[in-house]
Amino acid sequence: MSDAAAANDHGFNPRLIVGVVAIGVIAFIALWALIALGPQLSSGNDGGGHALSKAAPGYAGIVDLAERAGAEVELRRRVETTRYEEYEPLLVLTPTHRTRAPEIAELLDAGRRGPALIVLPKWQTMAVPGQTQKPGWVSVGFPARPPVAMLPPAHFGKVAIEAAPSKAQQVPARLAGHSFTAWLPGNVQTISGDNLETLIAGPGGGAVLAQVGDRDLYILADPDLINNLAFASRDGAVGGAMLIDAVADYADADGLAFDVTLNGFGGQRSLLRFAFVPPFIGITLCLLAAGLLALWQAWMRFGPALKPGRAIPVSKAALIANSADLIRQARRELDGADAYVKSQRTAIARRLHAPAGLDDAETAVWIDKHLRGGGDLFSSLARRLPLARNTHEFVADAQALHDIRKDLLRDS
């Protein structure tokens, strides 16, 4: 059987595991990046009432028409706090029925009281599966008056929003020297208030387009004058374009800036988003590179992982070595000379069956008789070893006794 077959039979394929881990890491990073940057990367064509929507309540039509006409148009996905004296666009806010007053106040205050147009919401819409003709369109919608509480009193004062039952009609209007026709829809929505000046009046009272005091702050009560629904006819599209142009000219604005943060498409402030945008994207990339290097180092280590050994090995040799080490550390090597001589003498006498009744000196002499000539006698070594003056003499005499035992007993 080949090595590859053996690896497949007895373990995982390393390449497969590396691929799975790599795909998992990339998918994890991509998921968090999409969560952080999703609102900014979204096309916004969700059927809502904002500048990115191509549905009936959206304003993608007026945005496209203004761009084709050569106007300066921008879509703001964040709260812009910088104001340029040479460029001051008309900020168009398209809140929803769920927008709160502090959110509108933040945008107005951030612009340092630059020109702004508030387009009030009117329609509650939904897409019914199987009945929506195109993606991003809506199939069901009904008018619903927005809550008055969405307009901050500090900016607009006390206002009232009404929906007057009426038929669709044309209303002549003149604003900033522009004469045009405003195409009012049926069930037109109007606004009234003590601090509001009517620019385009509604059929049943109230204002369709109003200015807040003497400020460059305007309210379009009915969005059907400029939304995509108005672009269903040529005349409605012309009327909507003329209205936006007249308001921008009346406010002396240099362009149009459609805000989409109120509709959920802004770059919210969060630590997660900061990790994927400058300047913190550099830190994120460094941390990612450090993690990859740590993974590579763990994968490319030399040899198998080292296993910790026992503090005290289990064997006779380890026991002897530990005992010898303790004696050496205590510097008591020379104190064991008598015991070593006795152990060697006893072992040789027992193995060679020495006669009984012999004392230590007689046993040493008896051992000498079994030695070959030309070497040290056992008895002389036994007397000299306890008198050793240093470890070198002790080791030499002890080795000689060990050699005598090995020659006589034929062991190690």
Side-chain angles (χ1 to χ4, degrees), residues 245-263:
D245 183 58
V247 173
D249 193 14
Y250 188 75
D252 196 20
D254 299 317
L256 300 175
F258 287 85
D259 173 80
V260 293
T261 61
L262 295 177
N263 308 96

Side-chain angles (χ1 to χ4, degrees), residues 54-62 65 123 137 183 185 223-241:
K54 297 180 181 179
Y59 303 95
I62 192 68
L65 181 61
W123 296 98
W137 285 22
W183 293 79
D224 289 347
L225 274 72
I226 63 171
N227 61 15
N228 296 335
L229 187 61
F231 279 65
S233 63
R234 180 183 179 85
D235 294 335
V238 172

Side-chain angles (χ1 to χ4, degrees), residues 395-412:
V395 171
D397 293 340
Q399 184 64 45
L401 283 179
H402 179 73
D403 293 340
I404 291 174
R405 173 181 172 172
K406 183 170 64 174
D407 292 340
L408 293 177
L409 304 184
R410 300 293 191 269
D411 58 10
S412 57

Side-chain angles (χ1 to χ4, degrees), residues 290-312:
L292 293 177
L293 288 176
L295 181 62
W296 177 260
Q297 183 181 16
W299 181 265
M300 297 299 295
R301 67 187 180 193
F302 296 93
L306 297 178
K307 297 181 180 179
R310 292 176 56 90
I312 301 177

Side-chain angles (χ1 to χ4, degrees), residues 203-221:
V208 177
L209 178 65
Q211 182 180 5
V212 181
D214 58 350
R215 298 172 50 192
D216 285 334
L217 183 58
Y218 308 90
I219 301 178
L220 181 61

